[in-house]
Amino acid sequence: MWNAVHDRRPALIARCVNAAEVSSVLRYARSAGLGVTVRAGGHNVAGKAVSDDTVMIDLSLMRGVSVDPSARLATAQGGCLLRDLDAATTPHGLACPAGVVSHTGLGGLALGGGYGWLARRWGLTCDHIVAAEVVLPDGSIVEATDSEHGELLWALRGGGGNFGVVTRFTLRLHPVGPVVHRTGVYALDDAADALAAYREFAENQSADLHAVGAFKIASNQYWIPAKLNGRPVLQLTAAWLGDPDGGDSAIRPLFDRAAPAGRLERVMSYAELQALGDHSEPAGHRYFTKTCYLSELGPAVAERMVANASDIRSPLSCIDFEYLRGAIIDVPEEDSAFPGRAAPYMYTASAHWLDPDQDDEEAAWSRRSIARLSDRHYGGSYVNYVQDQPTLGSIDVYGAGRYRRLAAIKRRYDPDNLLRHNQNIAPAPEARMTTEEDGR
Ligand SMILES: Cc1cc2nc3c(=O)[nH]c(=O)nc-3n(C[C@H](O)[C@H](O)[C@H](O)COP(=O)(O)OP(=O)(O)OC[C@H]3O[C@@H](n4cnc5c(N)ncnc54)[C@H](O)[C@@H]3O)c2cc1C
């Protein structure tokens, strides 16, 4: 697993190569009375892909991708990493919006939502699932589309791995070209001003721009002044996804308003952009990541963000934040199971360390960083970053109405809750389909 904190022992690991094998394993697990976990990229921070004494369906041998450029569609096997998808689509000048670290698995990311550089331009990864081949917990293999198993497809767009094993995604693609990328670094003393500039810029930016921020301990890099080395700093980054000729003028207002102590200016391909963060979160280290949505980024919030940054314990830890909205909020709420589209900001405290003796302290830092902003939490949670079980479990994540619909779909597709070692949606006690019966 990516996160070394989760040291668990499944009863069996089944490395499947196709849907038929997944089907056999599911039938076997049912007959043996064993629970099942599903592993795609193995990046779930809470380690949901692995559990003691269960059957793990490992999809990491199923990483094929094919692209139909004229239809702007990709089909990707359920064990793909984001880099597999990007490597196949970028040569066609196309991309599916996905996360920002290319060794993350497509499966978990897409089924739970999928924020990334293209989300403000085109929406979340789950918004791009147009069809899916799914092996249901009873072993049958179905294709979920808008017309067949439409409720299942709705649930796969944000409801996580609760309903079956997705062995193939069909994903909608969009054109992408070179990306204009600018980063500025600020000493913590200047961070409050820089955050005010970020807020003004980000809340008014065009959908072709995505601006993000990160607090981290500065490392020795040629573009960062030496006096900041080893100290907590703020980095602001803007990526321009429109016509490259317009990039400079689009980004300049951010750094004119708050002049950074050092800056890095690059133009890169989309695949390069996707791989930029790959080195900073390697597999085998220890992680605890908590996240929340924030309603605003005013001076009082900025002050507490800076306090959280000055408390960073491990030189590997990081706090990320980003203004969302754009196309994320343009997708109608009823089109997918994904909750929380209207959230303005996302804020993530990622503790990252090596020494197991530091586990408790590092997790406490992450929890404290999120709790310090609790009066500005927007509400809801992003399912892919749930670390501590919320009070009402997945009901907190989805809200009561959406959860009820998901629970009815769960009852239909996984009535015995075979897939329960996840951010679980328990089957509704009785079948209560909220829309017309479909497909099956
Ligand atoms: C380094 C890093 C960077 C990240 N960056 C982003 C980001 O930019 N944007 C973002 O939105 N999230 C991001 N995340 C969070 C990420 O979305 C989740 O960690 C997600 O669970 C990873 O998916 P995976 O396939 O790698 O996980 P796994 O641990 O393999 O799977 C997680 C769960 O997803 C389900 N699942 C996975 N594949 C399937 C499948 N084919 N069929 C059925 N169920 C399946 C299962 O329930 C499984 O337990 C990041 C995480 C990490 C560790």
Side-chain angles (χ1 to χ4, degrees):
M1 288 299 107
W2 169 80
N3 187 353
V5 164
H6 306 297
D7 183 16
R8 300 177 188 143
R9 297 285 181 274
L12 174 74
I13 299 174
R15 307 195 75 200
C16 301
V17 295
N18 56 36
E21 287 194 2
V22 172
S23 168
S24 304
V25 176
L26 284 167
R27 288 178 207 272
Y28 164 74
R30 288 181 79 86
S31 67
L34 291 167
V36 173
T37 67
V38 183
R39 179 197 195 273
H43 274 46
N44 185 269
V45 279
K48 294 294 183 186
V50 60
S51 191
D52 290 326
D53 305 321
T54 54
V55 174
M56 180 205 272
I57 296 183
D58 179 355
L59 301 174
S60 59
L61 298 177
M62 296 177 62
R63 291 174 54 184
V65 182
S66 65
V67 179
D68 179 345
S70 54
R72 290 192 175 166
L73 290 174
T75 54
Q77 285 186 298
C80 278
L81 305 183
L82 302 187
R83 65 164 64 120
D84 302 322
L85 185 59
D86 293 335
T89 60
T90 310
H92 300 285
L94 296 169
C96 178
V100 301
V101 173
S102 81
H103 46 74
T104 311
L106 171 69
L109 179 124
L111 294 170
Y115 291 102
W117 290 109
L118 299 180
R120 285 178 33 77
R121 184 72 191 84
W122 303 113
L124 304 168
T125 314
C126 68
D127 300 329
H128 292 77
I129 306 175
V130 296
E133 178 186 74
V134 188
V135 187
L136 300 178
D138 67 5
S140 55
I141 302 172
V142 300
E143 182 81 9
T145 64
D146 280 328
S147 53
E148 297 278 319
H149 300 281
E151 277 291 280
L152 177 59
L153 185 64
W154 178 87
L156 296 177
R157 295 178 178 145
N162 270 288
F163 310 95
V165 181
V166 178
T167 41
R168 190 186 62 237
F169 292 94
T170 304
L171 301 162
R172 200 154 38 87
L173 306 175
H174 298 284
V176 283
V179 179
V180 179
H181 189 270
R182 303 280 183 262
T183 299
V185 66
Y186 303 84
L188 219 50
D189 286 346
D190 301 324
D193 277 351
L195 287 171
Y198 172 84
R199 184 189 64 207
E200 194 180 307
F201 178 79
E203 292 184 8
N204 296 296
Q205 67 194 326
S206 93
D208 278 332
L209 263 171
H210 190 53
V212 303
F215 291 97
K216 52 177 73 166
I217 305 296
S219 56
N220 185 10
Q221 292 184 58
Y222 72 91
W223 61 279
I224 298 182
K227 65 179 182 197
L228 295 179
N229 203 351
R231 305 173 70 98
V233 293
L234 169 65
Q235 284 184 16
L236 296 181
T237 296
W240 168 257
L241 303 151
D243 179 347
D245 290 342
D248 266 328
S249 57
I251 296 174
R252 195 177 309 122
L254 173 63
F255 296 120
D256 281 354
R257 163 81 169 70
R263 62 175 83 202
L264 184 60
E265 305 192 341
R266 295 177 280 188
V267 177
M268 59 186 75
S269 73
Y270 176 71
E272 285 174 283
L273 175 75
Q274 287 294 89
L276 275 187
D278 282 6
H279 64 283
S280 55
E281 296 177 287
H285 289 194
R286 307 181 83 78
Y287 298 91
F288 186 95
T289 305
K290 261 187 99 68
T291 194
C292 63
Y293 294 121
L294 291 176
S295 51
E296 49 109 354
L297 206 172
V301 173
E303 193 182 308
R304 281 178 271 166
M305 285 168 114
V306 173
N308 284 338
S310 24
D311 274 359
I312 290 178
R313 298 167 42 88
S314 162
L316 301 171
S317 294
C318 174
I319 294 174
D320 297 299
F321 60 91
E322 60 188 315
Y323 182 70
L324 301 169
R325 299 280 171 104
I328 300 168
I329 201 172
D330 293 342
V331 175
E333 283 278 343
E334 62 276 14
D335 280 10
S336 70
F338 185 82
R341 287 188 181 276
Y345 286 94
M346 188 163 190
Y347 179 80
T348 306
S350 299
H352 173 182
W353 69 102
L354 300 174
D355 179 357
D357 289 343
Q358 303 297 315
D359 286 6
D360 291 344
E361 288 90 339
E362 291 299 337
W365 168 78
S366 173
R367 290 193 181 102
R368 197 166 57 243
S369 301
I370 298 297
R372 202 177 242 148
L373 292 159
S374 58
D375 62 337
R376 299 299 206 283
H377 286 184
Y378 185 78
S381 308
Y382 178 33
V383 71
N384 277 346
Y385 279 131
V386 170
Q387 275 269 213
D388 296 316
Q389 191 63 17
T391 341
L392 297 172
S394 298
I395 300 177
D396 279 356
V397 172
Y398 290 100
R402 202 173 288 268
Y403 185 85
R404 220 175 294 121
R405 182 168 171 187
L406 285 165
I409 299 167
K410 175 78 171 179
R411 180 183 166 85
R412 179 171 179 185
Y413 287 98
D414 186 15
D416 303 325
N417 209 359
L418 189 70
L419 299 168
R420 60 181 171 278
H421 300 276
N422 46 26
Q423 303 298 349
N424 196 238
I425 291 163
E430 58 193 52
R432 278 180 293 178
M433 295 300 290
T434 51
T435 59
E436 285 180 13
E437 293 285 302
D438 60 341
R440 255 174 125 207

